[in-house]
Amino acid sequence: MNLKKFGLLTMLALGVLGVSSVAQTNPTDDQLLDSFDKARFLEATSFTITVEVVADRPDETKQATVQLFFKEIKGERYARIEFLAPEDMKGQVYLNTPQGVFFYQPGLASPLKISGRQQVFGDASVAETVGIQFKKDYKVKARRNTTLNGKPALEVDLTAIDKSVAFQSATVTADAATLKPLKARLFALSGDPLNDVTYQEYAELDKDSYVKKQLIENQLIKTNKTLLNITKTEAKDFPDDLFDPSKLGK
């Protein structure tokens, strides 16, 4: 190969690398939101996880175990929360569906339609327990460079695209290089902060990233904290009826 041709190929290669670098350092809004979700959620279309929940209060610590079921049905994401412990909460079920959030427990004639901000256990709302879908529910309002724990980070302000979204605004702080979320602050409609969520630990299932451990800190009652720790994950198919509110209690 002559030197001129080699030099041209080298310049083209560097140009491609340069474009790739720019794409990584200046992601579009859609790329940002997509990265936030892909890092935190398994990409399997049907799976279950078991979560140990520890709610710390100044006077006591309470614990619960919940099993979550997820399934994509006709392109939409559904989630179901069931209590495995404590004993007196067994039978309680939360369904998070495109049609809304539903709650059922033994004794109810029919499931109740509730808000995604309804607390499941401790400070963990339904929305936080099943995982907030940034790409589906938010648009980017602003972004800025910052640092977190001495490392470069990107801070992104988000606003909900629909009034039904549990938290109408949020600020996500992500690693500047990987765009993996590190923290999120969730706000009330008034603009007051409600919860700070720290994504403490990530794990992988067959090279698929997900948040294993997250800490929720109540911003209205500063002493209240709730830790969610995933102890088991399994990709498995489930019937659509498991996510149908009309089937609860039947």
Side-chain angles (χ1 to χ4, degrees):
M1 181 183 295
N2 65 52
L3 291 179
K4 286 185 178 181
K5 187 173 182 180
F6 176 79
L8 177 59
L9 290 175
T10 302
M11 289 175 67
L12 288 172
L14 289 174
V16 170
L17 290 174
V19 170
S20 174
S21 176
V22 169
Q24 290 179 350
T25 56
N26 295 286
T28 65
D29 290 351
D30 283 346
Q31 287 173 332
L32 270 179
L33 299 177
D34 193 47
S35 295
F36 292 170
D37 285 352
K38 282 187 175 179
R40 294 178 303 120
F41 297 130
L42 290 172
E43 293 188 33
T45 56
S46 185
F47 63 95
T48 180
I49 63 175
T50 303
V51 185
E52 298 292 339
V53 188
V54 179
D56 279 327
R57 300 294 184 264
D59 55 345
E60 64 177 341
T61 297
K62 293 183 177 181
Q63 298 186 28
T65 304
V66 295
Q67 185 170 7
L68 278 68
F69 305 85
F70 297 89
K71 187 171 185 178
E72 186 177 301
I73 303 173
K74 296 180 179 179
E76 296 280 4
R77 182 174 178 261
Y78 290 73
R80 178 184 177 115
I81 305 170
E82 292 185 6
F83 276 88
L84 303 181
E87 190 67 30
D88 62 357
M89 298 185 78
K90 286 185 178 180
Q92 293 188 12
V93 177
Y94 294 87
L95 285 183
N96 190 60
T97 77
Q99 294 74 41
V101 180
F102 300 87
F103 170 74
Y104 177 81
Q105 67 179 12
L108 287 177
S110 60
L112 304 175
K113 193 170 185 179
I114 60 174
S115 164
R117 279 177 52 188
Q118 175 70 39
Q119 290 181 336
V120 174
F121 192 83
D123 306 291
S125 66
V126 175
E128 291 161 293
T129 304
V130 302
I132 295 173
Q133 299 182 71
F134 292 121
K135 184 176 181 179
K136 174 180 176 290
D137 291 335
Y138 293 88
K139 61 182 178 181
V140 175
K141 182 179 179 181
R143 63 170 87 180
R144 53 198 163 271
N145 294 321
T146 185
T147 58
L148 184 65
N149 301 324
K151 296 182 179 180
L154 183 65
E155 199 169 72
V156 184
D157 295 331
L158 306 176
T159 183
I161 60 176
D162 189 272
K163 290 183 179 179
S164 65
V165 176
F167 300 96
Q168 287 294 292
S169 59
T171 296
V172 178
T173 304
D175 181 279
T178 65
L179 301 182
K180 183 177 288 187
L182 305 172
K183 298 189 70 173
R185 171 162 282 193
L186 308 174
F187 296 89
L189 187 60
S190 63
D192 296 314
L194 291 176
N195 285 341
D196 276 357
V197 183
T198 301
Y199 303 111
Q200 291 187 334
E201 184 180 338
Y202 282 85
E204 290 186 353
L205 177 66
D206 298 328
K207 297 184 179 180
D208 189 1
S209 171
Y210 67 94
V211 170
K212 183 181 187 300
K213 188 181 295 185
Q214 57 181 321
L215 178 68
I216 300 171
E217 298 175 275
N218 192 317
Q219 295 304 293
L220 300 179
I221 308 174
K222 296 282 190 177
T223 54
N224 290 1
K225 299 179 181 181
T226 302
L227 181 68
L228 287 77
N229 182 31
I230 295 176
T231 58
K232 184 179 179 181
T233 61
E234 182 183 8
K236 185 178 180 181
D237 192 31
F238 299 102
D240 293 357
D241 283 358
L242 195 66
F243 307 91
D244 186 345
S246 69
K247 305 293 184 181
L248 289 173
K250 297 180 181 179

